[in-house]
Amino acid sequence: MEILWVLMALLVLGAALSPFLRRGRGGIRLTSPGAPDAADPANYGFALQEELDIRMPGPDQDLLDVLDVVQGTQSWKAASQLLAGTPAEGELRWQRVQAFAGAASLELAQRPGGVSEAPGGQWLRVWRAEAPKDAGGAAVHAEFLVQQAFRTAVPGTDEHRIILEEAKAACAEAALLAPGDPVPYIIELAVARGLGYQRPEFDQLWLKILDRAPQHMGAHLAALHYSTEKWHGSREQSYEFAEAAAARAPQGSLLAALPLFAVYDHLPEVQTVNSFWQSEVVRHAVEGAQFAVQSARPDDPMAAHARHLLVFFLVRSERWGEAMQQIVAVDGHVGALPWTQSADPAAAYAVFRAMAVAGYEANGGNPATLPH
């Protein structure tokens, strides 16, 4: 990840310069603040950086409303009701389980507790104690443990392994409470990655998911990480997995975007120069992702994930107009790759957005020419 981290660090540093980006003759250069032709994302109706929601990749007002209730009252019941009414086979349940677990994990990080103060995320502990047979609570608890393992412990350490072993047991319990729900098994994919499941054990887990939700994009993204060179595979295995999934994807499936995630996972192995961003491998993956988001259902919750990654690749490829089209679709929410790998996701996204605006205007674009 070294090259990517350097790139993102430079981009975050550039956040302070983003108000000064302006259109130039065929390129992007800097100008003074307040200059009449300075590129300003606000002219396009985009959200201010401080207004960007880092919790989710796209809108889910029902989830936001329930999160406000849960965190405001520290009562788990609204979360339980929302998950109970969310279909098990779709992508939305998986995202909502992740969101509730992430909220509890963040609360705990902010308020670890002490002699006179209860730890943050106490509502999740109460949920599990008061409703041990609640399948939604069991899934959120399992995902919470996974997030804690990767956020608070170093992979390969005893602490990391112990938390993941606990998460594995929690996944098994959640699966027993909801036999047809793929989510507990999708959560276990991260456990498999962290504990280093051997390939036969991983394949058995993957088959359980395919039996329940063969087109689940979130599951494929989680499985893709296992196959990367960073974990238990290689670039070739990762590309092969992604291409095979894309090839068998039915019309309207976002699996056609999977190769773009495989390319992103292996950026450190390639030359981060202009020739790479215009290369065949990037072009093919970008076009597949564009096709996927264009043909997906308008309400597909995974489309935002692909669109955010498209913004990253289209800006780096200097395809400004296409990048602006994706920004129009996702602006306001930044809880997705690649921004979440930055210490400040909103700032990282804002830099790319400012670059897209400046590049768009450098080539004759303006707010009136951008379709919404």
Side-chain angles (χ1 to χ4, degrees):
M1 299 294 293
E2 290 80 3
I3 293 177
L4 183 58
W5 282 118
V6 171
L7 171 63
M8 295 308 295
L10 291 173
L11 290 172
V12 171
L13 177 63
L17 300 176
S18 61
F20 318 129
L21 289 170
R22 62 167 286 176
R23 54 187 176 86
R25 188 172 299 172
I28 302 174
R29 52 197 173 121
L30 299 177
T31 189
S32 59
D37 56 354
D40 187 355
N43 292 337
Y44 295 81
F46 296 148
L48 297 175
Q49 180 176 323
E50 58 268 25
E51 297 172 346
L52 295 169
D53 192 325
I54 66 173
R55 295 171 294 180
M56 301 183 300
D60 184 348
Q61 193 58 49
D62 289 341
L63 173 62
L64 290 178
D65 291 342
V66 170
L67 273 173
D68 286 342
V69 170
V70 170
Q71 295 184 311
T73 65
Q74 288 296 295
S75 172
W76 54 269
K77 294 183 179 179
S80 176
Q81 292 172 355
L82 182 65
L83 288 181
T86 305
E89 65 277 4
E91 306 278 355
L92 197 58
R93 181 178 176 85
W94 165 230
Q95 288 202 13
R96 287 174 170 175
V97 166
Q98 286 184 303
F100 285 127
S105 180
L106 181 59
E107 283 185 38
L108 181 59
Q110 294 173 337
R111 300 193 312 276
V115 176
S116 59
E117 180 186 35
Q122 187 68 19
W123 54 268
L124 178 55
R125 298 176 182 83
V126 175
W127 188 356
R128 295 298 297 131
E130 293 183 352
K133 300 300 182 183
D134 188 316
V140 173
H141 179 237
E143 173 64 19
F144 169 81
L145 290 171
V146 167
Q147 293 194 23
Q148 285 297 101
F150 284 96
R151 287 178 176 176
T152 66
V154 177
T157 63
D158 288 342
E159 181 185 7
H160 186 73
R161 179 184 56 78
I162 290 170
I163 300 175
L164 286 180
E165 290 287 1
E166 186 179 355
K168 182 177 182 180
C171 288
E173 182 177 359
L176 288 174
L177 292 172
D181 189 352
V183 170
Y185 299 104
I186 298 173
I187 297 171
E188 192 180 346
L189 288 172
V191 176
R193 176 162 49 93
L195 292 181
Y197 282 18
Q198 295 299 308
R199 177 59 71 169
E201 185 178 6
F202 176 86
D203 288 343
Q204 289 179 3
L205 173 61
W206 183 235
L207 287 175
K208 292 177 182 177
I209 296 170
L210 292 181
D211 286 343
R212 291 162 176 81
Q215 304 300 327
H216 200 289
M217 179 65 173
H220 280 78
L221 287 175
L224 181 67
H225 293 324
Y226 176 92
S227 299
T228 60
E229 186 173 63
K230 176 183 176 181
W231 291 100
H232 309 292
S234 65
R235 181 176 60 179
E236 291 73 21
Q237 290 175 353
S238 179
Y239 281 15
E240 181 180 352
F241 175 85
E243 294 287 355
R248 64 173 181 269
Q251 179 71 21
S253 170
L254 281 164
L255 290 179
L258 202 61
L260 189 64
F261 288 85
V263 173
Y264 177 77
D265 279 339
H266 293 88
L267 279 181
E269 296 186 42
V270 297
Q271 295 293 321
T272 52
V273 294
N274 286 342
S275 60
F276 165 69
W277 301 105
Q278 275 81 47
S279 66
E280 179 68 19
V281 64
V282 170
R283 187 187 64 79
H284 176 74
V286 165
E287 290 178 356
Q290 288 176 315
F291 170 79
V293 298
Q294 289 167 3
S295 60
R297 299 189 326 272
D299 63 343
D300 192 321
M302 292 302 295
H305 287 274
R307 290 187 185 277
H308 279 290
L309 201 59
L310 274 169
V311 171
F312 175 84
F313 276 93
L314 289 169
V315 168
R316 295 294 289 142
S317 301
E318 299 182 5
R319 295 164 65 170
W320 313 115
E322 294 166 274
M324 291 290 282
Q325 291 173 9
Q326 300 303 327
I327 291 171
V328 167
V330 300
D331 193 70
H333 299 83
V334 295
L337 288 174
W339 326 122
T340 51
Q341 290 198 333
S342 168
D344 189 342
Y349 168 82
V351 170
F352 271 79
R353 185 179 63 182
M355 291 170 65
V357 169
Y360 183 63
E361 294 184 355
N363 288 275
N366 59 65
T369 63
L370 181 64
H372 283 71

